[in-house]
Amino acid sequence: MGVRVLADKKHKFTILTTKPADEAAPTVAELEAGIEACLKVAAEGFQHTATDSTTVEFKALCGDREQVLTDNNYVQTMTVVRYYLAEGGIDPSDDELFEAVKNRGTELWAYGRMTDKPATEAWEAGDEIYLGTRFTTDTPQVPDNPGWVSFRIPCTVQAGWPFITAAAGA
């Protein structure tokens, strides 16, 4: 009999700054070369998910009302925490996520894994990716009540690939 798994600390979220060869089947090497964002994005307000599809309604004069699914829709927003050096100034390696998303209009790719594996565990061939997206960043915003120095990054999703698999290969 299967067991349920708590989602806490299971959400791996990787941002790619380079387009994968196949957006709907990124390789483990492409994913591992990306920015691991699970410790750099606030859980509160985070969205990387499908949302209700667009529908069209129609009713013929003598028929029943019909509702048909048309476009898939996705939503993505994140609050990115900034990282600084202990002696002051930006930490260039730990602040790489903010550097990637800070400019309005930047095209990036995001892939999320939420399984029984810990979020910090490396990508492996065959890993289920619950959603991959190609997205564009909007202008960073100061969150309503930031704990850490951070910025909310609204995004527009151009394409999404739900429930795909991490591919083997380089």
Side-chain angles (χ1 to χ4, degrees):
M1 182 169 160
V3 296
R4 295 175 292 178
V5 175
L6 289 173
D8 189 39
K9 298 181 181 79
K10 303 291 187 195
H11 200 154
K12 186 172 192 69
F13 186 60
T14 302
I15 303 288
L16 304 184
T17 58
T18 302
K19 180 181 179 179
D22 182 349
E23 296 169 291
T27 66
V28 170
E30 290 168 330
L31 291 165
E32 285 296 309
I35 301 167
E36 180 47 55
C38 73
L39 293 173
K40 299 176 181 185
V41 172
E44 186 176 329
F46 173 74
Q47 290 184 299
H48 175 74
T49 188
T51 188
D52 295 350
S53 296
T54 304
T55 59
V56 173
E57 289 191 20
F58 175 80
K59 182 175 181 340
L61 288 175
C62 62
D64 292 333
R65 180 169 306 283
E66 299 174 43
Q67 191 174 44
V68 179
L69 296 174
T70 59
D71 297 330
N72 290 318
N73 293 308
Y74 304 95
V75 62
Q76 186 167 307
T77 189
M78 63 189 112
T79 299
V80 176
V81 177
R82 302 293 311 269
Y83 282 83
Y84 297 88
L85 297 168
E87 58 276 7
I90 298 293
D91 184 320
S93 61
D94 275 339
D95 204 47
E96 67 181 339
L97 178 58
F98 184 75
E99 289 299 316
V101 300
K102 72 179 184 180
N103 294 317
R104 181 178 186 261
T106 303
E107 184 176 67
L108 300 164
W109 292 262
Y111 295 90
R113 179 184 77 195
M114 193 168 13
T115 66
D116 58 336
K117 292 182 176 186
T120 54
E121 193 171 303
W123 287 100
E124 293 180 348
D127 276 353
E128 178 183 81
I129 298 169
Y130 78 88
L131 180 61
T133 58
R134 179 179 355 105
F135 69 99
T136 303
T137 58
D138 199 352
T139 304
Q141 304 169 1
V142 176
D144 290 338
N145 189 16
W148 302 108
V149 174
S150 57
F151 292 89
R152 182 177 171 277
I153 311 296
C155 305
T156 58
V157 177
Q158 279 71 54
W161 303 276
F163 294 99
I164 57 177
T165 303

